[in-house]
Amino acid sequence: MVKVPGMRRILSALLLAASATLTTQAATMLTNLGTTVDGSKAVGVFEDTSYMLAAGFTTGAHSGGYSFESTTLSMSNAMGSPVSFTVMVAGESEEEPDTLLATLSGDSDPAISGNYTYTITEPLILAAETNYFIVVMASAPAGTNTYFWNYQETNEATSPDGWALAGTAYSTDSENWFPDSGYPILSI
C-alpha cells in the first residue's frame, strides 16, 4: 500500500465540499403560514366589483440578492364561480405594485380551503433590502364570484435572513392601488 502525504485531508475536503453541494436547496425566506387566520380578502368579483390584491414584502440584506422560486398562499373556500386565478411578482414604486416581474404557475382554481404553491420557471433574482409584491387576480362574471386569500391582523412572520411583511394593497382596475389592512398569509 502506498501512502500519499495529506491524502486524508484532501479526501475530507472533497467529501465536505460534495456534501455542501448536495444539501443546497431552496429555503423559505419569509413565512406566516400556520398563524391565526383573522379573516380573508376577496380576489375576483365581490358584489359586482372586481378586486386584485397585493401582499408586500421586503427582502433581507444579502449583498448578492435572492433567487425567488415560489410562493405558497393560504386560501379559504371560494364563493360562486371565479376562474383564472393568477399569481404574479411585481416591483414596488411609491408603496404600491409597479413593474410586473414574473407570472407564476400553479393551481388556477384554488377554490377549496388550503395552501397552494405557485412556482416560477426561471429563477427571478430579487435585490437586497428591496420591496416587492405578490399580486393575485382572478376573472369572474358579475355578482359575487371570488377566491379568498386568508390574512392576519399583525405583520408577524418568520425569516432566517431579515425579510419582512410590508403593506397590503388592493385595486379595482389594476392601475390605481389603495392601502388595505391586514397581511395575507403566505410563504416565500
Side-chain angles (χ1 to χ4, degrees), residues 27-31 158-163:
T28 298
M29 300 310 296
L30 177 68
T31 187
T158 302
S159 173
D161 198 33
W163 288 46

Side-chain angles (χ1 to χ4, degrees), residues 145-164:
N145 295 287
T146 187
Y147 296 105
F148 290 100
W149 191 358
N150 292 327
Y151 73 92
Q152 65 183 26
E153 291 293 338
T154 66
N155 68 343
E156 292 178 34
T158 302
S159 173
D161 198 33
W163 288 46

Side-chain angles (χ1 to χ4, degrees), residues 75-80 82 107-114 116 146-148:
M75 305 295 290
S76 284
N77 289 330
M79 182 181 292
D107 194 335
S108 64
D109 187 25
I112 298 172
S113 183
Y116 292 83
T146 187
Y147 296 105
F148 290 100

Side-chain angles (χ1 to χ4, degrees), residues 9-10 17 46 50 55 58 69-70 75-76 79-80 93 96 105 107-108 114 124 129 136 138 141 154 178 180 184 187:
R9 281 181 285 185
I10 292 170
F46 187 75
S50 181
T58 305
E69 296 175 6
S70 68
M75 305 295 290
S76 284
M79 182 181 292
S93 176
E96 62 184 45
S105 299
D107 194 335
S108 64
L124 172 66
E129 298 178 315
V136 296
T154 66
F178 304 95
D180 201 3
S187 179

Side-chain angles (χ1 to χ4, degrees), residues 75-86:
M75 305 295 290
S76 284
N77 289 330
M79 182 181 292
S81 301
V83 295
S84 301
F85 187 78
T86 304

